[in-house]
Structure formats: C-alpha cells, structure tokens
Amino acid sequence: MVARLTNLLSNINQTDPAKPLIAPSLLSADFTDLRSDLKRVASADLLHLDIMDGVFVPNISFGPLVVEAVAKVTDLPLDAHLMVQNPEIMIRELTALKVQAITISFEAGGHLHRHIMQIKNSGALAGIALNPGTSFESAVALLPFVDLVLVMSVNPGFGGQSFIPEVLPKIRMLDEYRKEHDKRFFISVDGGVNEKNAGVIVQAGADILVSGSAIFGHSNPAGAIENIKKNGRSRL
Ligand code: DX5
Ligand code: ZN
C-alpha cells in the first residue's frame, strides 16, 4: 500500500488505474465501534484522520491515543490532517506511530517550511491544507517542498458540510502548476465529497478524494467507496 503510494506519486502526472484514491474520514465513523467501521472501509486506499485542537478550529476530535489504537486494527496507510496550531509535538508523536502522510494547515501559520521539513525528514509524506478562502497564489512558495496539497472544499472543523464548488479553479491551478513545473505532489480534496461530485473534482485534477459522511453515513460503505471511485474515474 505504501509502496503503491510512493509509486503513484512518482508518476503523478500520468493517468494511473489506481486513481482516484479514496480516503474515508474517520471523523464520521461510529466511535463506539471503530473496529467494525474500519472493516467496512477496508477496500479504500487511505484512512483520513482529522486531528483538531479546539484552537485552530472550533472543535476537538482525537489525537495520537486514538491513532495508535486505529493503527492496530487497519492495514490502510494513515493520512493525518492536522487542524492544530503549533504542530511540532503532534508531528513527532504521529511519525513515531508510522503515520504515512501528515498534512498541516496553511492558515495555522508559524514556520510552515520548517514543519514540512520535519515531516519529510521523519520519512512521512508532507502535505499542506488550504482553506476555501486561501488562494493558490499564497501557497505557491511552499509547493516545491510538499508531497500533497489538501484543498479544503468546506471550512475545516466539522464533517457533513456541503461542498463549495468555487474551489474547483484552485484544483485546476494546482494541477497545471505541477505539470508546468514537473513537480510531483498529490492533490487531495476534502469536504462534502460524494458520489455526485466526484467526477467534476477528479476532472479538475484531484488524485485523492477524502469523504466522511458520504461513506460512513452510507448503509453500504464499501459500495459508496466503489461508486465514488467509479464516478471519479469516469472523468479521467
Ligand atoms: C473537515 C474535515 C473533513 C471531514 C470530511 O474539517 O477535514 O475531513 O471529516 O467530512 P465530509 O465528507 O462529511 O464533509
Ligand atoms: Zn480532513
């Protein structure tokens, strides 16, 4: 799985049969029975972990304790999305747990480049998340250093919100940028992604679709994963 991720990243500008990768967001899972819910999404490509500190976003979710427990009952590569201020300690704890991808929030500010290098030096893929109100241009200086850009298609903090279609041009700009500059980073899209909008999001250039409520809220999560993937692929 991880080898597949690295392989896919090195060929990111080509169409790969694995694309789009589907990353169910644990935030929408049943926390009274995580083991069962994780089995239901075993056919996905990554497991998205939303870590919120109640400061950067007005919500607190879970931290390394839950990530450690989850890692014991899933084989999916772990894709941590940090919605926290001052992420150094969290990055250290998550890399110790062998989380494969760690994304920090652009708007949390601070020493973004240093945090990205901290993640990369630990061997994980490093990502930067951009809120709907953050432009492509403001993040350009960081693009040469990242392995993943997480385009937020809702304002971070909560699952179950509606997709904001105005972020589609930003996905296109990121895709054009990486082609033009021969750069290799994943474009991941997070927030309100479902079977209906997967096609346009992939058409804009997304490689990874994060989806919480449309997967865990579905009576058949494996079927939802398959449909999101199929509808996404239809526009490649
Ligand atoms: C929002 C989170 C998302 C969220 C997605 O802050 O980053 O990952 O869980 O959930 P849905 O798919 O329900 O919008
Ligand atoms: Zn997320």
Coordinates of all heavy atoms in Angstrom, one line a residue, residues 23-28 48-52 57 59 81 83 150 152-163 189-194 210-215, ligand 1:
A23 N -10.1 8.2 0.4 CA -9.7 8.2 1.8 C -10.9 8.5 2.7 O -11.3 9.7 2.9 CB -8.6 9.3 1.9
P24 N -11.5 7.5 3.3 CA -12.6 7.7 4.2 C -12.1 8.5 5.4 O -11.0 8.3 5.9 CB -13.0 6.3 4.6 CG -12.5 5.4 3.6 CD -11.2 6.1 3.1
S25 N -12.9 9.5 5.9 CA -12.5 10.3 7.0 C -13.1 9.7 8.3 O -14.3 9.6 8.4 CB -13.0 11.7 6.8 OG -12.9 12.4 8.1
L26 N -12.2 9.3 9.2 CA -12.6 8.6 10.4 C -13.6 9.4 11.3 O -14.4 8.9 12.0 CB -11.4 8.3 11.2 CG -11.6 7.4 12.4 CD1 -11.8 5.9 11.9 CD2 -10.4 7.5 13.4
L27 N -13.6 10.8 11.1 CA -14.4 11.7 11.9 C -15.9 11.3 11.8 O -16.7 11.5 12.8 CB -14.3 13.1 11.3 CG -14.7 14.3 12.1 CD1 -14.0 14.3 13.4 CD2 -14.6 15.6 11.4
S28 N -16.3 10.7 10.7 CA -17.7 10.3 10.5 C -18.0 8.9 10.9 O -19.1 8.4 10.8 CB -18.2 10.5 9.1 OG -18.1 11.9 8.7
H48 N -8.2 8.7 6.4 CA -8.0 10.1 6.7 C -8.3 10.3 8.2 O -9.4 10.0 8.7 CB -8.9 10.9 5.8 CG -8.7 12.4 5.8 ND1 -7.7 13.0 5.1 CD2 -9.4 13.3 6.5 CE1 -7.8 14.3 5.4 NE2 -8.8 14.5 6.2
L49 N -7.4 11.0 8.9 CA -7.5 11.2 10.3 C -7.5 12.7 10.6 O -6.5 13.4 10.5 CB -6.4 10.5 11.1 CG -6.2 9.0 10.8 CD1 -4.8 8.6 11.3 CD2 -7.3 8.2 11.4
D50 N -8.7 13.2 11.0 CA -8.8 14.7 11.2 C -8.5 15.0 12.7 O -9.3 14.6 13.6 CB -10.3 15.1 10.9 CG -10.5 15.1 9.5 OD1 -9.8 15.8 8.7 OD2 -11.5 14.5 9.0
I51 N -7.4 15.6 12.9 CA -6.9 15.9 14.3 C -7.2 17.4 14.5 O -6.6 18.3 13.9 CB -5.5 15.5 14.5 CG1 -5.4 14.0 14.3 CG2 -5.0 16.0 15.8 CD1 -4.1 13.4 14.5
M52 N -8.1 17.7 15.5 CA -8.5 19.1 15.7 C -8.2 19.5 17.2 O -8.5 18.7 18.1 CB -10.0 19.3 15.5 CG -10.4 18.8 14.1 SD -12.2 18.9 13.9 CE -12.4 18.3 12.3
V57 N -9.4 25.3 15.0 CA -10.8 25.1 14.6 C -11.6 25.0 15.9 O -11.1 24.6 16.9 CB -11.0 23.8 13.7 CG1 -10.5 24.0 12.3 CG2 -10.4 22.6 14.4
N59 N -13.4 23.0 17.3 CA -13.8 21.6 17.6 C -12.6 20.8 18.0 O -11.5 21.1 17.6 CB -14.4 21.0 16.3 CG -15.2 19.7 16.6 OD1 -15.5 19.4 17.7 ND2 -15.6 19.0 15.5
H81 N -4.6 14.7 9.0 CA -4.9 16.1 8.6 C -4.9 16.9 9.9 O -5.8 16.8 10.7 CB -6.2 16.1 7.9 CG -6.7 17.4 7.6 ND1 -8.1 17.7 7.2 CD2 -6.1 18.6 7.6 CE1 -8.2 19.0 7.0 NE2 -7.1 19.6 7.2
M83 N -5.4 20.0 12.1 CA -6.1 21.3 12.2 C -5.7 21.8 13.6 O -6.5 21.8 14.5 CB -7.6 21.1 12.0 CG -7.9 20.9 10.5 SD -9.5 20.1 10.3 CE -9.1 18.4 10.4
L150 N -3.8 19.6 0.2 CA -5.1 19.2 0.6 C -6.0 20.4 0.4 O -5.9 21.4 1.1 CB -5.2 18.8 2.0 CG -6.5 18.3 2.6 CD1 -6.9 17.0 1.9 CD2 -6.4 18.0 4.1
M152 N -9.2 22.2 0.8 CA -10.4 22.1 1.6 C -11.6 22.7 0.8 O -11.6 23.8 0.4 CB -10.2 23.0 2.9 CG -9.2 22.4 3.9 SD -9.5 20.7 4.3 CE -11.1 20.7 5.1
S153 N -12.6 21.8 0.7 CA -13.8 22.2 0.0 C -14.9 22.5 0.9 O -16.1 22.6 0.5 CB -14.2 21.2 -1.1 OG -14.0 19.9 -0.6
V154 N -14.6 22.6 2.2 CA -15.5 23.2 3.2 C -14.6 23.9 4.2 O -13.4 23.7 4.1 CB -16.3 22.1 4.0 CG1 -17.2 21.3 3.1 CG2 -15.3 21.1 4.8
N155 N -15.1 24.7 5.1 CA -14.3 25.3 6.1 C -14.0 24.2 7.2 O -15.0 23.5 7.6 CB -15.0 26.5 6.8 CG -14.9 27.7 5.8 OD1 -13.9 28.2 5.4 ND2 -16.1 28.1 5.3
P156 N -12.8 24.0 7.6 CA -12.4 22.9 8.4 C -13.1 23.0 9.8 O -13.4 24.1 10.3 CB -10.9 23.0 8.5 CG -10.6 24.4 8.2 CD -11.6 24.9 7.3
G157 N -13.3 21.9 10.4 CA -13.8 21.8 11.8 C -14.9 20.8 12.0 O -15.0 20.2 13.1
F158 N -15.7 20.5 10.9 CA -16.8 19.6 11.1 C -17.0 18.8 9.8 O -16.8 19.3 8.7 CB -18.1 20.4 11.4 CG -18.0 21.3 12.6 CD1 -17.6 22.6 12.4 CD2 -18.2 20.8 13.8 CE1 -17.4 23.5 13.5 CE2 -18.0 21.6 15.0 CZ -17.6 23.0 14.8
G159 N -17.5 17.6 10.0 CA -17.9 16.7 8.9 C -19.4 17.1 8.5 O -20.0 17.9 9.2
G160 N -19.8 16.6 7.4 CA -21.2 16.7 7.0 C -21.6 18.0 6.4 O -22.8 18.4 6.3
Q161 N -20.6 18.9 6.0 CA -20.9 20.2 5.4 C -21.0 20.0 3.8 O -20.6 19.0 3.3 CB -19.9 21.2 5.7 CG -19.6 21.4 7.1 CD -18.5 22.4 7.4 OE1 -18.7 23.6 7.2 NE2 -17.3 21.9 7.7
S162 N -21.6 21.0 3.2 CA -21.7 20.9 1.7 C -20.5 21.4 1.0 O -19.8 22.4 1.4 CB -22.9 21.8 1.2 OG -24.1 21.4 1.8
F163 N -20.2 20.7 -0.1 CA -19.0 21.0 -1.0 C -19.2 22.4 -1.5 O -20.2 22.8 -2.0 CB -19.0 20.0 -2.1 CG -17.9 20.2 -3.1 CD1 -16.7 19.7 -2.8 CD2 -18.2 20.8 -4.4 CE1 -15.6 19.9 -3.7 CE2 -17.1 20.9 -5.3 CZ -15.8 20.5 -5.0
V189 N -8.7 16.3 -2.1 CA -9.8 17.3 -1.9 C -10.7 16.8 -0.7 O -11.0 15.6 -0.6 CB -10.7 17.4 -3.2 CG1 -11.9 18.4 -2.9 CG2 -9.8 18.0 -4.3
D190 N -11.0 17.7 0.2 CA -11.6 17.3 1.5 C -12.8 18.2 1.8 O -12.6 19.4 2.0 CB -10.5 17.4 2.5 CG -10.9 16.9 3.9 OD1 -12.0 16.3 4.0 OD2 -10.1 17.1 4.8
G191 N -14.0 17.6 2.0 CA -15.1 18.3 2.5 C -16.3 18.2 1.5 O -16.2 18.7 0.4
G192 N -17.4 17.5 1.9 CA -18.6 17.4 1.1 C -18.4 16.6 -0.2 O -19.2 16.8 -1.1
V193 N -17.4 15.7 -0.2 CA -17.2 14.9 -1.4 C -18.1 13.7 -1.4 O -18.3 13.0 -0.4 CB -15.7 14.4 -1.5 CG1 -15.5 13.5 -2.7 CG2 -14.8 15.7 -1.6
N194 N -18.8 13.5 -2.5 CA -19.7 12.3 -2.6 C -19.8 11.7 -4.0 O -19.0 12.1 -4.9 CB -21.1 12.8 -2.1 CG -21.6 13.9 -2.9 OD1 -21.5 14.0 -4.1 ND2 -22.3 14.9 -2.2
V210 N -11.2 12.7 -0.2 CA -11.5 12.4 1.2 C -13.0 12.5 1.3 O -13.6 13.4 0.8 CB -10.8 13.5 2.1 CG1 -11.2 13.2 3.5 CG2 -9.3 13.5 1.9
S211 N -13.6 11.5 2.0 CA -15.0 11.6 2.2 C -15.4 10.9 3.5 O -15.0 9.8 3.8 CB -15.7 10.9 1.0 OG -17.1 10.9 1.2
G212 N -16.1 11.7 4.3 CA -16.6 11.2 5.6 C -18.0 10.7 5.6 O -18.3 9.5 5.5
S213 N -18.9 11.7 5.7 CA -20.3 11.3 5.8 C -20.9 10.5 4.6 O -21.7 9.6 4.8 CB -21.2 12.5 6.1 OG -20.9 13.6 5.2
A214 N -20.4 10.8 3.4 CA -20.9 10.0 2.2 C -20.5 8.6 2.3 O -21.0 7.7 1.6 CB -20.5 10.7 0.9
I215 N -19.4 8.2 3.1 CA -19.0 6.8 3.2 C -19.5 6.2 4.5 O -20.3 5.2 4.4 CB -17.5 6.7 3.1 CG1 -17.0 7.1 1.7 CG2 -17.0 5.3 3.4 CD1 -15.5 7.1 1.4
Ligands
DX5_1 C1 -13.4 18.8 8.0 C2 -12.5 17.5 7.8 C3 -13.0 16.6 6.8 C4 -14.4 16.0 7.1 C5 -15.0 15.5 5.8 O1 -12.7 19.6 8.9 O2 -11.2 17.9 7.4 O3 -12.1 15.5 6.6 O4 -14.3 14.9 8.0 O5 -16.2 15.0 6.1 P1 -17.4 15.1 5.0 O6 -17.0 14.2 3.9 O7 -18.6 14.6 5.7 O8 -17.5 16.6 4.6

